[in-house]
Amino acid sequence: HDDVAILVVRVPPDATVDPLARLGDAMGMPAESVPLPGYPVGDVAMDLRSRRVLPPREARLKLPDDVRSAGAARRFVTSVLHSWRMSELTGGDAELLTSEVCSNAVRHAESDFTVVVRYDGFRVRVEVGDGSRALPQPRESTVDDESGRGLFLVEQLASAWGVSRTVEGKRVWFELSAPPP
């Protein structure tokens, strides 16, 4: 608790000079003799800011048992997908399905829940784990019913979905196909 670390960085005035030449000067050898790693020193890929992240990826957020948590989960999934450069998956099914599954957790589980977003290179999987052991039951809704269509939407829009039992309760998940990078 009493340790403090300070990092001081000085950028030399010749920082705009060829980095390989600077490295050679620092090592006392000609630039062409410098042992380099397997990537070009100082080069930044032109599409680095738009290139999709490499799998596997995972992000998680724990949320309270509160009606506002479904909106927070939706914003979380959207921001994760944007940060993974999968903006084409935002603004549609990912948010709607996240909302449905999280709303069910708030309404039926009556416990805090965790949202996990995973990417394996082919699909994005969103999991919502809660503390209830009661499994969701899809049901037929009539035209006049005010609820009961959430799992039907999940089944129709997701490429796959399911429920897994956990030590704490259950995890409801759905998957969406990820577009090619």
Side-chain angles (χ1 to χ4, degrees):
H1 295 338
D2 60 349
D3 292 339
V4 175
I6 297 176
L7 172 65
V8 177
V9 177
R10 184 179 70 84
V11 178
D14 65 345
T16 59
V17 177
D18 176 32
L20 191 55
R22 284 191 18 242
L23 185 58
D25 287 345
M27 296 178 73
M29 56 183 15
E32 59 274 359
S33 302
V34 174
L36 293 176
Y39 54 88
V41 176
D43 284 354
V44 176
M46 296 304 290
D47 65 343
L48 186 61
R49 292 192 183 272
S50 61
R51 187 182 311 161
R52 178 155 305 149
V53 296
L54 296 175
R57 292 287 174 190
E58 179 177 301
R60 60 182 56 230
L61 177 67
K62 187 168 186 171
L63 292 165
D65 175 25
D66 185 288
V67 293
R68 294 171 291 195
S69 291
R74 201 172 42 250
R75 289 186 296 278
F76 169 69
V77 169
T78 299
S79 67
V80 166
L81 292 174
H82 279 302
S83 74
W84 290 349
R85 295 171 188 91
M86 294 185 192
S87 297
E88 62 272 21
L89 289 180
T90 64
D93 294 349
E95 286 91 348
L96 175 62
L97 299 179
T98 299
S99 241
E100 290 299 333
V101 175
C102 291
S103 294
N104 283 347
V106 169
R107 185 172 185 183
H108 302 290
E110 298 176 354
S111 69
D112 292 350
F113 62 95
T114 303
V115 179
V116 180
V117 186
R118 292 192 170 105
Y119 169 57
D120 67 3
F122 304 102
R123 68 195 136 266
V124 171
R125 181 177 176 133
V126 177
E127 302 175 353
V128 177
D130 61 49
S132 171
R133 295 197 139 306
L135 300 180
Q137 299 296 318
R139 63 180 193 185
E140 295 281 330
S141 297
T142 66
V143 175
D144 296 330
D145 287 342
E146 293 180 12
S147 63
R149 293 178 183 84
L151 290 177
F152 175 77
L153 284 173
V154 173
E155 188 171 282
Q156 297 301 307
L157 298 176
S159 54
W161 81 279
V163 182
S164 306
R165 291 190 184 273
T166 64
V167 173
E168 302 86 22
K170 69 176 171 305
R171 186 170 285 165
V172 180
W173 56 268
F174 67 86
E175 293 177 346
L176 298 171
S177 297

